[in-house]
Amino acid sequence: MEKSLKEIKELLNLLTKNNFALFPRVKDPEKRLRKLFSELKPHLDRKRKAWVDKVLKLLDTYPQMTQEQQKRFLRELHSVITLKFTAEEIEKAREKELPPKERVVAAGKNLKRAPKLYPIEAFFQPVEKIKGITAKRVNRLKKLGIESVIDAIYYLPFRYEDRTTVTKMAQLKPDREQLVKGKVTAISQIKTKNGKELLKVTLYDKTGAVSLIFLNKKVFGYYKLLFEKAKKLGKEVLAYGKVKRSTSGFTIYHPEVEVLEPGRLEKLGRILPIYHCAEGLKQTTVRRDIHFVVEKVLPFMPEYLPEKIRKRQKLLEAAEAFWRVHFPSDEKPEELQTFRSPPQRRVIFDELFLFQLALALHRQKVKRERGIAFPVTEELIEEFKKALPFKLTGAQERVLKEIVEDMKKPEPMNRLVQGDVGSGKTVVAAAAAFFAAKSGYQTAVMAPTEILANQHYKKFKEFLKPYGITVGLLTGSMTKREKETVYRAIKEGVIKVVVGTHALIQEGVEFKNLGLVVIDEQHRFGVKQRVELKKKGKMPDVLVMTATPIPRTLAMTAYGDLDVSVIDELPAGRKPVKTEILFSDELPKLVKRLKEELQKGNRAYIVYPLVEESEKLELKAATEMHHFWSEKLKPYRVGLLHGKMKQEEKDKVMEAFKRGEFQVLVSTTVIEVGVDVPEATVMVIEHAERFGLAQLHQLRGRVGRGDRQSYCYLVTSREVGEEAIKRLKVLESTNDGFKIAEADLAFRGPGEIFGTRQSGLGDFKVADLRRDYDILKEARREAMELIKENPELNGLEELKKLMKFRFGEKFDLVEVG
Ligand code: ADP
Ligand code: MG
């Protein structure tokens, strides 16, 4: 399948490349295509099969098409094949249509608990202390980075070899290790042309046959006997190994073989754990070493998690979980491979729980500072909500409640509110400002740009004016006189809420009683600015808002000093932006779509990646593109925004676009984060493959802010390659910023997104933050709850010791407890 698919792709690439430059030179491509598609068809799922049937029909008429028709046909073919036919997806779709596979499972090795357990610190001892361990074994374990007994227990298999799932002969795939089950037909010792001898045995089931080949003469006798006996008794045989395709069908060289006798299987019918090896160590040795330790010590391991948590989370006991991770028996192979089997879940939960517990204790220590306890009542909350022109979403309600809880407490709030673009963070912040004002305190709202400050100023006024709360604005572009008037009003406490830019942290600004600090689009500010604004008051509450979709997994661990709230729901009635990948030669289609939208009175953005080589080049490119689109989209007017403009000029252009002085904005810079132009319904992103996923998502968030249907076109070239297409397809498939961020993370790894700051994220032995977010969430919740109920962890000595052993140093918790 993969071979014919690859050939189809290569042929179509060749034909369509450089606007069909080579097309005249390729003779009768339909013949080759017909052959390749016919080969591909049997490996497809029903939907794709039907499509291929249509293609085959069209290929029949290909010679009668005009050249233009042929090109259009090939272009379409190329698009569908590139976008909808990745080997991975095809296989997934196909597997779904197949019946579940049979399994053969041998009796497993069970954990035998010792009558008396050891205290947990026995497991912190070096492996040398284990009775009967040899110095050689200790040395090998050290090579794997294993010092203590618990290190060995935590040295988990990174994958498993499934020798339990039987693959039918007809469904065998080449170059993969698979288990077959069948009866013996032929056994023959053959001499090959070059004089070598081999033993060939044929196994068959109802769907087909496979040849087993042995080349080592010494084993011929043993296997002949085994297979002849099985043949005579009509017994089924299991064989496991890498399947090869040969001219005569599928072959396995030197398979592991066992006659199927229930209850007596040794090597097969098992799931084999595979461990990372250090240099010079063999898998079998590593496995034996780890198993040695695990078998010796696990019978003595105590349970350290509170029973309540274990029951609630449906977790196995610690010793049992660790045992089954190293000695799986009846676990489901696909669960093991994805690290979602019950024993793995317990082990991953453990690590994340201990980490979150340590983090929570650390925070508890930090939080002993005294701040303001705002008297926020239910009535006050109702009062605010009643006057809103809309109903808060469930997510907004939840986050608001979290903020209120924080504000009521005497310790200062340090909360990060994350929410996708358009999720409605502003109203939540306005509510907090309202509560502060009603409690007699001032609020400062800091935004990264003038235009955003202006926008927030308007919004906050809208929300707060009805209550007689005075909102002021302070930005750098105001005259000295204007500023001084505002300074005075802030100092005297006439202005209750002031919205502004960096101008807020200037020396002249003094508050009467600043109680709440709101910072928008946090990633543009450093921690320093946050602290400077905070210093304008006495321990004010701090609320940070960001639309940057930091994956929740990372936010929870990365922002050690911030509590995280997430608005993960868009207001009702929002239509998700329809996203489509277009190839650069599909310009006419794009122009048509753009004009359709402009005709309706809507507006469009066309964004190019930053050209950074030189100032002159960028200006030239920007001007050319502006010119190009002005021509193409006549009579609509096109504006230009580029990276070499001053902030003021940019703001001017943005304002003009907002007012509708032109309908299309061509931009070589990333459009100002958070700007609201509800009439904008189209976002075209050129060279989309050059942007990161998170950035593309941010850009897309500029449209779809009203109730009109919006569109995003990701323009790329036909030659970008499968990996790039795969990334862009993530955007096509979802509008969820967090999912996208997590996909981005999977593509690039956390290091690249956060740089060195995040280096601590690799400290987990088993948990993988990309994979284990769902478990992290639960672990965090349980840790928080436990700390709330039992801040000193009284009576949980084992747990406390283990946590300190694992994470104590990192969180400076050595004196805790
Ligand atoms: P962001 O989270 O991107 O800052 P905003 O706070 O600017 O989003 O909100 C986007 C738009 O949605 C605004 O026009 C706002 O008034 C509106 N909005 C916010 N919450 C709701 C809601 N619950 N129902 C309807 N519209 C809402
Ligand atoms: Mg915003």
Side-chain angles (χ1 to χ4, degrees):
M1 181 268 282
E2 279 163 48
K3 201 162 139 269
S4 27
L5 185 62
K6 195 163 154 247
E7 268 191 61
I8 293 175
K9 283 187 180 173
E10 279 167 1
L11 181 54
L12 289 172
N13 273 342
L14 181 79
L15 287 162
T16 55
K17 211 161 105 180
N18 299 330
N19 214 3
F20 288 87
L22 297 172
F23 172 78
R25 293 218 240 143
V26 184
K27 269 193 70 189
D28 305 334
E30 79 281 7
K31 288 188 185 149
R32 182 93 197 116
L33 283 170
R34 194 180 306 123
K35 180 167 176 291
L36 289 170
F37 272 111
S38 306
E39 276 171 18
L40 182 64
K41 202 180 122 184
H43 304 283
L44 300 177
D45 55 293
R46 249 174 260 132
K47 229 168 100 190
R48 286 185 178 83
K49 253 185 201 147
W51 183 82
V52 166
D53 277 331
K54 271 191 231 153
V55 170
L56 288 170
K57 266 198 203 124
L58 284 169
L59 283 169
D60 287 337
T61 65
Y62 184 89
Q64 283 89 52
M65 293 182 193
T66 65
Q67 251 198 31
E68 267 323 296
Q69 285 171 329
Q70 288 179 341
K71 282 186 187 170
R72 197 179 325 137
F73 172 66
L74 290 173
R75 209 179 279 137
E76 278 294 310
L77 210 53
H78 180 272
S79 298
V80 177
I81 283 289
T82 324
L83 300 178
K84 309 268 184 236
F85 277 66
T86 63
E88 230 172 283
E89 283 172 313
I90 290 176
E91 202 159 305
K92 252 200 217 143
R94 173 101 172 123
E95 299 256 295
K96 268 198 205 133
E97 293 177 0
L98 296 173
K101 288 181 170 172
E102 183 198 352
R103 289 183 70 203
V104 176
V105 183
K109 192 173 202 165
N110 291 327
L111 170 69
K112 290 193 195 69
R113 308 299 298 267
K116 200 165 169 295
L117 305 179
Y118 290 158
I120 195 77
E121 56 270 38
F123 295 81
F124 306 159
Q125 298 180 78
V127 280
E128 288 93 310
K129 294 280 165 106
I130 297 172
K131 233 188 258 163
I133 197 165
T134 62
K136 268 193 186 152
R137 183 160 264 157
V138 169
N139 275 335
R140 285 198 301 262
L141 288 169
K142 291 215 160 128
K143 272 198 192 164
L144 299 171
I146 292 169
E147 299 284 339
S148 66
V149 172
I150 200 135
D151 287 343
I153 296 174
Y154 262 116
Y155 199 82
L156 298 199
F158 72 98
R159 89 182 160 82
Y160 292 87
E161 228 173 72
D162 175 17
R163 300 169 167 210
T164 67
T165 305
V166 178
T167 307
K168 291 262 176 272
M169 309 284 185
Q171 284 165 15
L172 287 173
K173 302 224 168 72
D175 302 317
R176 280 191 216 174
E177 313 205 312
Q178 286 150 98
L179 178 73
V180 293
K181 188 181 86 175
K183 290 192 176 170
V184 182
T185 42
I187 306 161
S188 51
Q189 201 165 326
I190 308 171
K191 227 183 197 128
T192 60
K193 274 175 237 154
N194 46 24
K196 268 206 190 133
E197 276 194 283
L198 56 81
L199 179 68
K200 183 175 164 183
V201 178
T202 310
L203 288 190
Y204 73 99
D205 65 14
K206 281 183 191 135
T207 69
V210 69
S211 307
L212 311 179
I213 294 198
F214 303 88
L215 297 165
N216 181 358
K217 244 179 132 167
K218 280 192 213 136
V219 301
F220 286 2
Y222 170 79
Y223 281 115
K224 256 197 209 160
L225 210 67
L226 183 149
F227 286 111
E228 261 154 21
K229 199 168 148 204
K231 191 179 170 193
K232 205 160 82 199
L233 299 173
K235 287 211 163 152
E236 286 183 303
V237 174
L238 293 173
Y240 180 89
K242 192 177 252 181
V243 174
K244 291 276 167 198
R245 198 203 298 274
S246 71
T247 42
S248 57
F250 285 120
T251 305
I252 309 177
Y253 288 91
H254 288 288
E256 301 259 14
V257 175
E258 239 176 326
V259 178
L260 182 57
E261 284 180 78
R264 307 240 328 250
L265 288 172
E266 281 292 323
K267 297 174 283 188
L268 300 180
R270 296 182 186 282
I271 296 174
L272 208 59
I274 310 291
Y275 297 88
H276 281 300
C277 294
E279 219 181 296
L281 293 184
K282 281 209 296 241
Q283 179 61 229
T284 42
T285 318
V286 171
R287 186 183 305 128
R288 220 178 298 131
D289 289 343
I290 299 289
H291 280 184
F292 174 87
V293 177
V294 167
E295 273 185 272
K296 280 263 181 195
V297 304
L298 278 185
F300 300 95
M301 187 179 230
E303 179 56 69
Y304 40 82
L305 272 189
E307 191 64 9
K308 226 167 59 186
I309 295 180
R310 213 168 63 73
K311 285 268 145 64
R312 199 160 40 214
Q313 293 293 332
K314 299 193 177 63
L315 297 171
L316 293 172
E317 271 185 60
E320 182 70 19
F322 281 113
W323 184 270
R324 282 166 58 181
V325 160
H326 292 287
F327 297 107
S329 61
D330 55 359
E331 332 300 335
K332 295 196 181 88
E334 60 285 359
E335 282 184 1
L336 279 173
Q337 303 296 18
T338 52
F339 287 77
R340 282 299 171 272
S341 68
Q344 285 162 314
R345 206 184 109 80
R346 157 77 208 238
V347 171
I348 294 167
F349 180 93
D350 252 36
E351 187 169 45
L352 293 171
F353 178 76
L354 292 173
F355 178 80
Q356 289 295 336
L357 207 55
L359 193 65
L361 283 176
H362 168 74
R363 213 178 302 179
Q364 201 179 47
K365 220 172 64 177
V366 173
K367 267 198 180 162
R368 303 255 151 94
E369 299 166 13
R370 289 268 123 185
I372 307 158
F374 294 90
V376 187
T377 59
E378 275 311 308
E379 292 76 49
L380 208 56
I381 300 172
E382 281 311 310
E383 191 186 340
F384 181 79
K385 288 205 289 203
K386 247 196 293 192
L388 288 177
F390 46 71
K391 208 170 155 293
L392 291 181
T393 63
Q396 284 171 320
E397 288 275 4
R398 192 187 64 234
V399 170
L400 188 59
K401 214 166 130 194
E402 288 166 350
I403 292 172
V404 167
E405 287 305 309
D406 280 1
M407 288 181 77
K408 279 156 78 171
K409 281 185 202 146
E411 62 262 24
M413 165 165 77
N414 268 304
R415 186 165 286 278
L416 174 75
V417 174
Q418 275 195 284
D420 218 340
V421 277
S423 61
K425 295 181 289 293
T426 318
V427 62
V428 172
F434 171 74
F435 304 144
K438 284 287 184 177
S439 315
Y441 287 95
Q442 288 172 296
T443 298
V445 183
M446 187 156 72
T449 64
E450 296 239 339
I451 187 160
L452 269 177
N454 272 304
Q455 198 172 288
H456 278 326
Y457 170 61
K458 277 188 211 141
K459 281 263 163 80
F460 272 77
K461 238 180 15 192
E462 232 175 82
F463 288 130
L464 300 177
K465 204 68 174 293
Y467 304 101
I469 296 170
T470 323
V471 181
L473 177 71
L474 187 68
T475 64
S477 69
M478 289 162 68
T479 63
K480 209 169 162 219
R481 284 242 335 251
E482 285 171 326
K483 275 189 202 159
E484 264 155 19
T485 315
V486 179
Y487 286 171
R488 205 168 323 116
I490 296 175
K491 196 170 173 189
E492 287 166 3
V494 179
I495 287 181
K496 289 286 186 291
V497 177
V498 57
V499 183
T501 55
H502 287 81
L504 284 174
I505 45 180
Q506 239 92 81
E507 242 170 67
V509 187
E510 269 178 65
F511 286 84
K512 183 162 178 239
N513 58 349
L514 179 63
L516 174 68
V517 165
V518 176
I519 298 175
D520 192 21
E521 303 301 352
Q522 186 249 356
H523 59 294
R524 295 262 195 117
F525 294 112
V527 175
K528 199 166 146 251
Q529 278 129 328
R530 192 164 98 206
V531 171
E532 268 175 59
L533 187 53
K534 231 176 119 167
K535 274 202 238 144
K536 301 266 178 191
K538 272 194 209 125
M539 284 291 162
D541 277 5
V542 176
L543 192 61
V544 178
M545 298 193 290
T546 179
T548 311
I550 308 156
R552 280 168 272 204
T553 48
L554 293 186
M556 281 179 188
T557 36
Y559 290 91
D561 63 330
L562 293 175
D563 296 301
V564 181
S565 289
V566 184
I567 307 186
D568 50 5
E569 183 185 347
L570 292 183
R574 281 294 160 75
K575 294 189 186 76
V577 180
K578 285 191 180 152
T579 303
E580 196 182 330
I581 300 171
L582 285 181
F583 292 111
S584 42
D585 56 15
E586 293 173 301
L587 181 71
K589 198 159 151 188
L590 180 59
V591 171
K592 188 170 150 264
R593 305 260 179 97
L594 274 165
K595 283 194 168 165
E596 277 166 13
E597 282 301 302
L598 296 173
Q599 225 151 35
K600 291 184 213 159
N602 295 336
R603 284 171 223 163
Y605 297 99
I606 301 174
V607 179
Y608 285 85
L610 199 62
V611 191
E612 264 191 294
E613 289 95 71
S614 85
E615 213 159 300
K616 262 198 197 139
L617 248 180
E618 179 175 354
L619 263 181
K620 184 164 168 280
T623 324
E624 268 172 20
M625 287 178 277
H626 180 233
H627 186 71
F628 174 83
W629 284 108
S630 300
E631 281 297 312
K632 281 276 174 212
L633 296 175
K634 258 180 193 167
Y636 301 101
R637 281 186 307 274
V638 180
L640 174 66
L641 197 70
H642 62 78
K644 296 301 156 203
M645 286 172 156
K646 290 208 185 73
Q647 188 60 47
E648 279 162 54
E649 288 176 272
K650 284 190 200 166
D651 286 352
K652 245 190 222 145
V653 174
M654 276 314 302
E655 286 296 349
F657 182 57
K658 263 180 112 161
R659 284 193 302 268
E661 280 166 35
F662 41 82
Q663 296 81 44
V664 182
L665 184 66
V666 171
S667 173
T668 63
T669 176
V670 171
I671 298 164
E672 296 303 289
V673 189
V675 171
D676 227 346
V677 183
E679 295 85 358
T681 60
V682 189
M683 168 63 64
V684 177
I685 305 171
E686 298 271 357
H687 299 291
E689 76 282 355
R690 292 197 208 157
F691 291 93
L693 285 188
Q695 210 180 6
L696 288 171
H697 178 66
Q698 283 284 312
L699 283 170
R700 178 167 64 179
R702 302 298 105 227
V703 298
R705 296 176 78 80
D707 47 11
R708 310 175 203 198
Q709 178 61 56
S710 293
Y711 304 89
C712 175
Y713 298 107
L714 305 170
V715 183
T716 187
S717 79
R718 290 188 187 272
E719 286 106 62
V720 288
E722 208 166 288
E723 194 63 15
I725 297 287
K726 215 159 119 188
R727 283 193 330 116
L728 295 181
K729 282 179 75 168
V730 173
L731 276 131
E732 236 183 10
S733 68
T734 180
N735 272 292
D736 181 338
F738 292 109
K739 274 199 194 136
I740 290 164
E742 282 177 11
D744 213 11
L745 190 65
F747 280 119
R748 297 193 291 160
E752 274 190 60
I753 294 183
F754 286 96
T756 48
R757 202 159 59 87
Q758 287 307 313
S759 54
L761 287 175
D763 289 357
F764 295 112
K765 286 184 198 293
V766 284
D768 176 340
L769 295 181
R770 291 184 242 177
R771 182 191 64 206
D772 301 327
Y773 168 60
D774 51 339
I775 303 178
L776 172 63
K777 212 164 60 172
E778 289 298 310
R780 182 177 164 90
R781 206 165 54 78
E782 293 289 2
M784 296 295 178
E785 202 161 307
L786 180 61
I787 288 289
K788 213 162 91 188
E789 263 171 35
N790 183 357
E792 305 297 328
L793 300 181
N794 289 326
L796 298 170
E797 294 315 312
E798 305 288 270
L799 179 66
K800 215 153 44 174
K801 281 182 212 152
L802 185 58
M803 174 194 68
K804 269 195 267 175
F805 182 74
R806 289 297 311 279
F807 296 110
E809 230 169 282
K810 191 171 167 145
F811 290 110
D812 196 20
L813 289 174
V814 184
E815 84 281 19
V816 172

